[in-house]
Amino acid sequence: LALPDGFQVNRKLARVLERRRDIFADPDAATVDWATAETLAFASILADGTPIRLTGEDVERGTFSHRYALLRDETSGAVYIPLQHIPQARAAFEVRNSPLSEAATIGFEYGYNIQAPERLVIWEAQYGDFINTAQAIVDEFVVSGRAKWEQTPSLVLLLPHGYEGQGPDHSTGRLERFLQLAAETNMRVANATTSAQYFHLLRRQAELLLTDPLPLIVMSPKSLLRNARVYSSPRDLAEGHWRPVIDDAQAAAGRAAVRRLILCSGKVYVDMSADPRRADCRDVAIARVEQLYPWPEAELNEVIEGYPDAREIVWLQEEPTNAGAWEFVQPRLLRQLDGRLPLRLIARPRRASPAEGTMAMHIFSQTGLLDRAYEVNEEMTTP
């Protein structure tokens, strides 16, 4: 990142930008956070010749002060957008904050996307919950554009999602609603858990704009933006690829000991992997379903068959039982298992509100989920 001569950014922000630059000083030792992976994905997409339009409710800075796609001189107020000045770019980059009127804004972005199908058009919610005020646009156009209107939308929606004790209006991207609307391969729904996965997800979407256009719904993170457990190596970005399902590398080294295979998606995996019981619990494997729709049946079969001594399959989610992915994944997993193994759920109980209203209740509920996930009874562990 080379700023214009005399351009002065805030000192704290300058340190953030310097850390990003340091990644390239020693790429073998460095790790790439979520925002940096996004910036690198955008830069490579522009270098490939695909223009990008990014809008949303604070996307220039990023709601969680993570993106900084637009910089301002703290003295003059002058604007500088680094992605508009990379020498390799063969296409335009546009970033604009949008009004707090989701229905109007997403309706406009949908129309923009239809008129400019060659452009990667992305809208980001301030919080995932806020998509509910645009439900009519989602129902009428985003998920049914092909079936109802013979249009081929490829709009990307980034919906910050994850249970972190911030209350019922700052928790969920209403994953269950999109999965209920999923049919006839009308969209892609993803919940990536590493910065490299997000990098490859964006690049794949750009590559498919003209050959296989579909809306992309991303349950994007909040606290994970700065959680080192989701950071990836530069090599993961340069040499990796999108993986719809990620097996448990730790458990795979001792597959014969696994009695419970946990399938989950999103932030709850990071909570499980950070738990101190993780290192010693050899009878539990945790696999991540990164792509929920289209359902990755073949990849999941491969993971399930890799644990021949498992006694049960568990779907683990943060959301209440009547929310999240459970009611979508249950019939699909039952069909795949075909009676070979029992399937059960670990989740919050059915609730009218999507999340707890206090941090104390959130911690109590979240701790209970992890306790149940790691509690493998004696009968199950005995061969």
Side-chain angles (χ1 to χ4, degrees), residues 15-92:
R15 289 196 291 271
V16 172
L17 300 176
E18 189 65 31
R19 284 196 297 270
R20 292 183 181 180
R21 183 162 40 220
D22 288 345
I23 290 172
F24 301 99
D26 188 2
D28 290 330
T31 56
V32 181
D33 63 29
W34 196 271
T36 304
E38 180 187 75
T39 300
L40 292 172
F42 287 162
S44 65
I45 290 167
L46 296 172
D48 289 340
T50 299
I52 300 171
R53 172 179 169 85
L54 173 63
T55 66
E57 301 163 337
D58 206 4
V59 292
E60 294 173 358
R61 178 196 65 165
T63 295
F64 307 99
S65 301
H66 65 285
R67 178 175 290 118
Y68 298 112
L70 181 149
L71 306 176
R72 290 187 184 275
D73 187 298
E74 65 177 356
T75 301
S76 68
V79 168
Y80 183 73
I81 300 174
L83 283 169
Q84 292 181 347
H85 298 275
I86 57 175
Q88 301 93 334
R90 297 190 294 116

Side-chain angles (χ1 to χ4, degrees), residues 39-314:
T39 300
L40 292 172
F42 287 162
S44 65
I45 290 167
L46 296 172
D48 289 340
T50 299
I52 300 171
R53 172 179 169 85
L54 173 63
T55 66
E57 301 163 337
D58 206 4
V59 292
E60 294 173 358
R61 178 196 65 165
T63 295
F64 307 99
S65 301
H66 65 285
R67 178 175 290 118
Y68 298 112
L70 181 149
L71 306 176
R72 290 187 184 275
D73 187 298
E74 65 177 356
T75 301
S76 68
V79 168
Y80 183 73
I81 300 174
L83 283 169
Q84 292 181 347
H85 298 275
I86 57 175
Q88 301 93 334
R90 297 190 294 116
F93 177 79
E94 179 183 15
V95 58
R96 298 183 186 275
N97 289 342
S98 66
L100 293 171
S101 175
E102 291 81 8
T105 302
I106 297 177
F108 181 88
E109 297 304 327
Y110 177 89
Y112 194 108
N113 171 222
I114 293 299
Q115 290 299 311
E118 76 291 347
R119 186 178 297 256
L120 183 63
V121 181
I122 305 171
W123 180 83
E124 181 178 66
Q126 194 168 50
Y127 288 91
D129 313 67
F130 297 177
I131 193 66
N132 60 13
T133 61
Q135 195 64 44
I137 299 296
V138 171
D139 292 348
E140 287 292 315
F141 298 102
V142 176
V143 303
S144 59
R146 188 186 301 268
K148 292 176 69 173
W149 311 111
E150 296 185 350
Q151 295 174 335
T152 54
S154 56
L155 179 64
V156 179
L157 299 181
L158 303 180
L159 307 178
H161 175 89
Y163 283 54
E164 287 143 325
Q166 299 302 308
D169 289 320
H170 289 164
S171 297
T172 176
R174 290 295 188 180
L175 173 61
E176 65 279 0
R177 291 181 180 168
F178 287 99
L179 294 178
Q180 185 182 42
L181 295 166
E184 301 178 285
T185 316
N186 61 333
M187 60 180 146
R188 301 182 181 98
V189 180
N191 196 355
T193 56
T194 73
S195 59
Q197 281 283 90
Y198 182 50
F199 173 89
H200 295 300
L201 182 64
L202 290 174
R203 284 193 47 80
R204 183 182 69 157
Q205 182 72 5
E207 290 171 1
L208 296 175
L209 286 177
L210 298 179
T211 59
D212 188 15
L214 289 174
L216 172 63
I217 314 301
V218 183
M219 297 293 124
S220 59
K222 295 179 290 183
S223 66
L224 300 188
L225 295 169
R226 294 180 176 83
N227 189 318
R229 290 181 178 274
V230 309
Y231 295 1
S232 301
S233 70
R235 193 175 298 278
D236 290 334
L237 274 64
E239 301 176 3
H241 58 88
W242 169 250
R243 294 187 288 170
V245 180
I246 302 178
D247 198 0
D248 186 335
Q250 175 179 309
R255 294 182 182 277
V258 172
R259 298 294 179 265
R260 172 180 293 165
L261 172 58
I262 294 178
L263 304 176
C264 60
S265 189
K267 187 185 76 70
V268 71
Y269 166 79
V270 178
D271 292 343
M272 284 288 291
S273 65
D275 191 288
R277 290 167 287 190
R278 169 70 167 149
D280 299 322
C281 198
R282 298 172 54 225
D283 45 10
V284 173
I286 313 166
R288 289 165 275 175
V289 182
E290 304 274 289
Q291 177 177 295
L292 289 153
Y293 190 79
W295 181 246
E297 183 169 341
E299 292 86 351
L300 269 172
N301 274 337
E302 184 176 348
V303 170
I304 293 169
E305 290 170 1
Y307 297 96
D309 297 311
R311 304 294 178 82
E312 69 169 354
I313 307 293
V314 169

